[in-house]
């Protein structure tokens, strides 16, 4: 559907919402096995569209043919959609057989009376593919393992009750976000979705219509293009029962409260302009806490590239990009690490920022921070810990660092407090720590993780790994409201349909293979293919997507070979 201007598109938009209302009734009456079959059909449609999807997304971002950066579009586009649709099909199939979608998932006790549910690795092939990685969903304190299994499923098994019609306002930076949001609305709440694309992805409309054809055919999804006026018209339409937005806090507040004097008046009077519920994922200033230890020169280089990747992936246009590196002022290797970080900025392939407004945000960052360095088109700056870098998500190739006193557990506690109290948002936090230092802290380290109030935490990994894992949850730390929305309200993805999750914790290896094994880590994982310096990222991303479309040991081997060559 090609609606672009609200003045001419209203009849088309109104018709789409009526069709979605009928589709919601159809979905409500569809037995659970039928819902599973629909998501298997979606899986097949995504697989058949994967190349066109990845290549169209790459063109939208100006990625040249043959560039390693094209791998990002395979992994964050069709690969993520394949994993998600397969996970939901499995969840429906479990429910149809009288089982819980959480059956078979290992659980353990986590700090603070929490239950941790392991969602990666799930199969023998995942153990090989993600060797050295683990992901858990932590439930809030007091939730038992039995309760996790009993309550998993959300609305997926409810037949006969319509969830109504929702509006999904799609993000403009990662091509799988809007489809995955629509999937979750349908599975978790039985709600059909009108997906309004961000203008940056207008050229993907045809791809989405092919990939989502099974859902479009039964009236479960409609996809339209449109500007902000189209979004505003739809958000206030009486045919919309709920809104989900991925974007910025500014966009969310404009939808809920309006702008300027109107917003101030509505907030004061407690009268939002949005009359229906809203969920959201809104980004923030993500910390990268570097716990001081005794690192080799190779460790310094590898982790500097790791941290640089957290910022430079997708040219810096990620809501989960690392933005604030927290270093110990008492770490003897602090300056050596910063030197390696500068070298990584110099060495990693240059990319032109493509998201609208990037140049302005970069200029604002430089102007607000004395001594900011521009390196190969990227900005590295020192933050005082109380300046714009702490409260402004730059959404551009701008990386800040700050210093705190202390070492070991004392530094980690101070860094957790800094991240919780001084940085904007609660979407994701990264912690880098060598195995020996982590071991020396014992339970204190896990207690510190429990104290980090973030929706996804990555230890020796990047929180974006949590985004890609269909079984993980994705969203802000619980507790935000429309009045103070922070990084958003609610979660998405959540392929095992866990009820009321608190956070996802991803753990990876500190070193890549073979250094990992040589230094006593049980990990055979090479340099990750999402690293900005991975030379074979395009081939690996494509092979990974082909594997996801038809998982087998035979298709897994080419993925591993390509990744090791990177």
């Amino acid at each position: 559907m090609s609606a672009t201007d609200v003045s001419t598109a209203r009849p088309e938009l109104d018709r789409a919402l009526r069709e979605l209302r009928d589709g919601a009734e159809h979905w409500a009456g569809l037995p659970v096995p039928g819902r599973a079959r629909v998501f298997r059909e979606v899986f097949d449609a995504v697989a058949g569209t994967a190349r066109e999807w990845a290549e169209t997304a790459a063109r939208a971002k100006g990625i040249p043919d043959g560039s390693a950066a094209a791998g990002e579009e395979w992994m964050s586009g069709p690969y993520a959609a394949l994993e998600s649709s397969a996970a939901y099909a499995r969840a429906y199939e479990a429910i149809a057989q009288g089982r819980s979608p959480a059956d078979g998932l290992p659980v353990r006790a986590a700090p603070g009376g929490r239950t941790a549910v392991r969602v990666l690795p799930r199969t023998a092939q995942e153990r090989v593919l993600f060797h050295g990685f683990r992901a858990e969903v932590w439930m809030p304190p007091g939730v038992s393992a039995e309760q996790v299994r009993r309550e998993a499923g959300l609305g997926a098994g409810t037949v006969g009750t319509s969830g109504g019609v929702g509006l999904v306002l799609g993000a403009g930076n990662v091509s799988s976000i809007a489809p995955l949001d629509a999937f979750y609305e349908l599975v978790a709440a039985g709600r059909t979705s009108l997906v309004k694309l961000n203008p940056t992805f207008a050229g993907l409309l045809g791809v989405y219509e092919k990939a989502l054809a099974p859902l479009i055919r039964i009236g479960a999804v409609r996809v339209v293009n449109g500007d902000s006026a189209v979004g505003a018209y739809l958000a206030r339409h009486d045919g919309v029962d709920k809104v989900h937005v991925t974007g910025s806090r500014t966009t969310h507040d404009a939808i809920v409260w309006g702008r300027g004097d109107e917003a101030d008046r509505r907030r004061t009077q407690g009268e939002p302009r949005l009359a229906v519920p809203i969920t959201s994922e809104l980004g923030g200033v993500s910390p990268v806490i570097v716990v001081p230890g005794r690192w080799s020169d190779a460790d310094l280089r590898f982790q500097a590239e790791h941290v640089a990747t957290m910022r430079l992936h997708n040219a810096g246009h990620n809501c989960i990009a690392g933005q604030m590196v927290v270093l110990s002022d008492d770490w003897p290797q602090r300056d050596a690490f910063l030197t390696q970080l500068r070298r990584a900025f110099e060495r990693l392939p240059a990319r032109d920022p493509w998201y609208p407004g990037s140049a302005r945000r970069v200029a604002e960052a430089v102007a607000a921070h004395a001594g900011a360095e521009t390196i190969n088109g990227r900005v590295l700056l020192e933050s005082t810990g109380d300046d714009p870098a702490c409260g402004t998500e730059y959404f551009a190739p701008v990386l800040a660092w700050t210093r705190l006193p202390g070492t070991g557990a004392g530094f980690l506690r101070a860094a957790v407090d800094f991240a919780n109290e001084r940085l904007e948002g609660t979407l994701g936090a990264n912690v880098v720590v060598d195995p020996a230092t982590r071991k020396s802290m014992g339970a204190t380290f896990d207690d510190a993780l429990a104290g980090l109030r973030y929706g996804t935490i990555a230890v020796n990994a990047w929180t974006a790994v949590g985004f890609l894992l269909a079984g993980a949850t994705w969203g802000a730390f619980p507790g935000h409201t429309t009045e103070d929305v922070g990084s958003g309200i609610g979660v998405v993805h959540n392929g095992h349909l866990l009820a009321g999750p608190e956070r996802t914790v991803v753990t990876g290896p500190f070193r890549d293979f073979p250094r990992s094994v040589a230094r006593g880590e049980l990990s055979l994982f090479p340099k990750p293919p999402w690293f900005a310096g991975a030379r074979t990222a395009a081939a690996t991303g494509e092979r990974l997507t082909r594997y996801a479309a038809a998982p087998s040991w035979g298709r897994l081997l080419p993925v591993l070979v390509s990744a090791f060559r990177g």
Side-chain angles (χ1 to χ4, degrees):
M1 193 177 297
S2 59
T4 56
D5 179 75
V6 70
S7 62
T8 59
R10 288 183 182 181
E12 191 177 13
L13 298 170
D14 294 346
R15 181 173 64 254
L17 290 171
R18 290 193 298 270
E19 292 169 352
L20 288 166
R21 184 71 56 185
D22 292 340
E25 294 297 331
H26 171 78
W27 188 261
L30 193 63
V32 174
R35 298 176 183 181
R37 285 193 294 273
V38 169
F39 269 89
R40 290 295 179 190
E41 292 172 3
V42 172
F43 178 90
D44 291 340
V46 172
T49 316
R51 176 171 294 280
E52 182 183 2
W53 183 331
E55 291 178 349
T56 305
R59 286 195 298 272
K61 299 179 181 182
I63 297 174
D65 292 342
S67 169
E72 298 176 3
E73 303 314 311
W74 283 96
M75 288 182 276
S76 65
Y79 170 76
L82 285 168
E83 290 291 288
S84 181
S85 54
Y88 293 137
R90 290 193 299 267
Y92 278 126
E93 289 160 357
I95 293 169
Q97 296 166 9
R99 298 184 291 110
S100 166
D103 279 352
L105 298 177
V107 298
R108 69 173 182 91
R114 294 172 172 85
T115 294
V117 184
R118 196 181 78 196
V119 297
L120 180 86
R122 187 181 53 85
T123 66
Q125 289 182 20
E126 284 187 347
R127 287 186 180 90
V128 174
L129 182 61
F130 292 98
H131 199 272
F133 283 79
R134 184 177 72 251
E136 297 175 329
V137 176
W138 287 15
M139 306 303 290
V143 176
S144 68
E146 191 280 330
Q147 186 179 350
V148 169
R149 293 189 171 92
R150 184 180 68 248
E151 296 181 354
L154 304 177
T158 302
V159 177
T161 302
S162 169
V165 178
L167 169 65
V168 171
L169 297 171
N173 62 321
V174 173
S175 65
S176 66
I177 290 178
L180 298 191
D181 292 347
F183 289 175
Y184 193 66
E185 289 289 301
L186 188 62
V187 176
R191 186 177 297 116
T192 58
S193 291
L194 179 58
V195 178
K196 205 253 343 151
L197 301 180
N198 186 289
T200 62
F201 282 157
L204 278 158
L205 176 64
V207 172
Y208 290 139
E209 289 178 333
K210 294 175 185 177
L212 307 182
L215 297 176
I216 293 172
R217 185 170 60 249
I218 62 173
V221 169
R222 292 288 184 270
V223 187
V224 301
N225 277 326
D227 57 13
S228 59
V230 170
Y233 172 73
L234 291 169
R236 295 194 294 272
H237 200 290
D238 60 10
V240 169
D241 302 307
K242 190 246 184 178
V243 174
H244 178 82
V245 58
T246 301
S248 68
R249 181 172 184 162
T250 300
T251 299
H252 169 276
D253 287 352
I255 294 169
V256 175
W257 303 105
R259 299 181 187 275
D261 293 341
E262 178 196 11
D264 293 340
R265 176 180 58 80
R266 287 185 176 276
R267 283 182 179 277
T268 300
Q269 298 175 354
E271 297 178 353
R273 71 188 307 207
L274 185 68
V276 298
I278 184 170
T279 53
S280 50
E281 190 266 82
L282 307 174
V285 176
S286 293
V288 185
I289 298 172
V290 179
V291 182
R294 295 179 64 182
W295 296 8
S296 69
D297 290 344
D299 294 338
L300 291 166
R301 286 194 301 271
F302 179 75
Q303 289 300 341
E305 184 174 341
H306 190 187
V307 172
T309 291
M310 296 179 195
R311 177 73 269 181
L312 302 181
H313 183 279
N314 200 21
H317 310 311
N318 286 327
C319 58
I320 199 58
Q323 181 167 308
M324 180 64 71
V325 183
V326 185
L327 299 174
S328 167
D329 204 24
D330 298 312
W331 185 27
Q333 294 179 292
R334 187 200 69 214
D335 289 343
F337 177 77
L338 287 170
T339 295
Q340 290 298 335
L341 195 54
R342 292 183 179 96
R343 289 175 179 171
F345 270 33
E346 292 170 349
R347 181 178 71 252
L348 296 176
R351 285 185 67 178
D352 291 331
W354 58 269
Y355 201 82
S358 296
R360 172 182 53 79
R361 289 189 294 272
V362 169
E364 290 173 352
V366 172
H369 300 87
E373 305 171 64
T374 300
I375 306 170
N376 197 13
R378 295 87 181 242
V379 173
L380 180 66
L381 59 88
E382 182 177 2
S383 168
T384 63
D386 186 22
D387 54 28
C390 297
T392 304
E393 180 189 6
Y394 285 118
F395 213 70
V398 175
L399 182 64
W401 67 275
T402 193
R403 60 182 90 195
L404 298 175
T407 58
F411 167 79
L412 182 56
R413 283 192 294 267
V416 167
D417 289 343
F418 173 81
N420 286 340
E421 305 300 334
R422 306 291 288 276
L423 301 183
E424 172 69 20
T426 64
L427 186 61
N430 309 275
V431 180
V432 180
V433 58
D434 67 90
T437 301
R438 177 171 182 173
K439 183 178 180 180
S440 71
M441 293 187 200
T444 301
F445 183 86
D446 291 333
D447 291 340
L449 293 189
L452 264 174
R453 297 193 296 270
Y454 285 81
T456 298
I457 299 171
V459 180
N460 295 334
W462 178 26
T463 44
V465 177
F467 174 90
L468 286 179
L469 297 176
T473 58
W474 186 251
F477 194 77
H480 296 299
T481 65
T482 53
E483 289 79 13
D484 184 13
V485 74
S487 286
I489 299 169
V491 300
V492 290
H493 305 183
N494 191 17
H496 300 286
L497 305 178
L498 304 177
E502 182 182 68
R503 73 183 87 192
T504 286
V505 179
V506 179
T507 304
F510 178 72
R511 301 175 179 93
D512 57 340
F513 180 83
R515 290 192 312 113
S516 54
V517 174
R519 298 295 297 273
E521 285 188 90
L522 297 178
S523 172
L524 302 180
F525 206 83
K527 176 186 285 190
W530 55 83
F531 265 40
R535 297 186 301 273
T536 60
T540 304
E542 179 176 355
R543 292 179 183 183
L544 180 63
T545 305
R546 299 299 181 199
Y547 163 77
S552 70
W553 290 105
R555 287 199 172 195
L556 180 58
L557 181 59
V559 179
L560 301 176
V561 170
S562 180
F564 276 96
R565 288 175 176 167

